[in-house]
Amino acid sequence: MLNVSIVIPAWNEEERINDCLLNATRQTVMPHEVIVVDNRSTDSTVAVVEQFMKDHPQAPVRLLHQDEEQGLIPTRDYGLNHATGDILGRFDADCMIRPDWVEVVSGIFTEDPEAMGATGPVMYYDLPSRHFGLRGDNSTRKRIYKADGGQPLLFGSNMAVRASAWREICDEVCLDKADVMHEDIDISLHLLGKDLKTVYCPRMIAGISARRMDTSLTSFNNYMRRFKNTFDAHPQHSRKHKPEILLTALYPVMHLLYPVWQKVLDTADINPAEAAWINEQMELAEQEGREWYDDTPTDEEWSEKHEDSNTCDW
């Protein structure tokens, strides 16, 4: 199986980064490394990561700093360029990956040597009916989040690229100094431009926050225009569907629902990020507990095994 590095760009993410790291390191298969790249955070993000590393010395977490330039793209690139795994996973600091995410990602690229980029659906953990939303997101991404006649587009909150593929495009990806593009779609189109295969896997699941829906209409519309801006920057590529139309249609309801649901969560004292995969985590813990139980000898077995060593020959 190929090993997986995880790269997490972070700017002022003190609220969620600890939960994110817990999910990244509570996996059925431990990642090769988890790289947090801090980008001039002014809150306690760095301190939280350092405390996590102190509290979990066995976890393969690294903290890097990208201070030369403010922005997601240079921070993302810095992390990907410093990662040493076969596969480079990448998601945001408020993402909560499913407990088998690393195992699934490794399997995708191990089983398909031609796969150079992979992505999957997301669950909005701070909205109600999370798993219903996951099914809807899966359906949407499978059908319309594509380019060039049906090639899957990678989603920055839940994506991975083969290290060799990243090295092919790392000097060509758009720097987007004006900050008007979708950096994940840009990576996708650079991969497709070199005839490098992208794949979609419904089992590659991440949980993300719906906080984008809590922004103003002006800010949201500007974010939606990034779809067109990105394809305009790559006129050799085409798309049949426009996801921004569906997302814009959903915005009014989601914009009203999001703050209301946050009050419900606060009143119930629920951390939605921590609870995102609680059932799956409990199942893993129970399975591990059963394995420990099965491997632990009974008193009789222990006594029989050590009987000879406890007998002295004078």
Side-chain angles (χ1 to χ4, degrees), residues 121 133-146 200 241 243 246-247 250:
L134 173 61
R135 289 195 293 271
D137 187 84
N138 176 53
S139 176
T140 299
R141 294 191 189 280
K142 286 177 66 177
R143 291 186 296 105
I144 70 175
Y145 211 72
K146 298 180 177 182
Y200 179 86
H241 302 286
L246 174 61
L247 294 171
L250 291 174

Side-chain angles (χ1 to χ4, degrees), residues 16 126-127 214 257-267 272:
R16 290 284 180 249
D126 49 6
L127 285 178
D214 198 32
L257 175 62
Y258 183 83
V260 172
W261 189 248
Q262 302 320 296
K263 291 182 179 179
V264 171
L265 294 173
D266 289 342
T267 300

Side-chain angles (χ1 to χ4, degrees), residues 226-237:
R226 288 174 179 262
F227 284 96
K228 181 179 185 301
N229 295 340
T230 308
F231 277 91
D232 285 348
H234 298 274
Q236 69 274 33
H237 297 283

Side-chain angles (χ1 to χ4, degrees), residues 64-130:
L64 303 181
H65 300 273
Q66 193 287 108
D67 296 328
E68 292 187 8
E69 186 176 357
Q70 188 76 57
L72 173 59
I73 291 176
T75 306
R76 174 204 71 188
D77 292 357
Y78 190 86
L80 293 175
N81 289 336
H82 282 78
T84 60
D86 302 316
I87 309 301
L88 312 181
R90 177 268 196 259
F91 47 82
D92 298 322
D94 65 339
C95 291
M96 308 297 146
I97 57 174
R98 188 171 172 169
D100 63 353
W101 191 90
V102 171
E103 182 177 4
V104 169
V105 168
S106 177
I108 292 171
F109 290 93
T110 300
E111 295 166 13
D112 186 352
E114 294 185 359
M116 295 295 148
T119 195
V122 295
M123 174 190 73
Y124 292 92
Y125 58 74
D126 49 6
L127 285 178
S129 303
R130 300 192 304 263

Side-chain angles (χ1 to χ4, degrees), residues 11-29:
W11 175 69
N12 289 352
E13 292 285 357
E14 62 180 6
E15 183 179 357
R16 290 284 180 249
I17 189 63
N18 189 76
D19 293 323
C20 180
L21 290 175
L22 280 172
N23 276 264
T25 54
R26 288 178 178 174
Q27 292 284 304
T28 55
V29 172

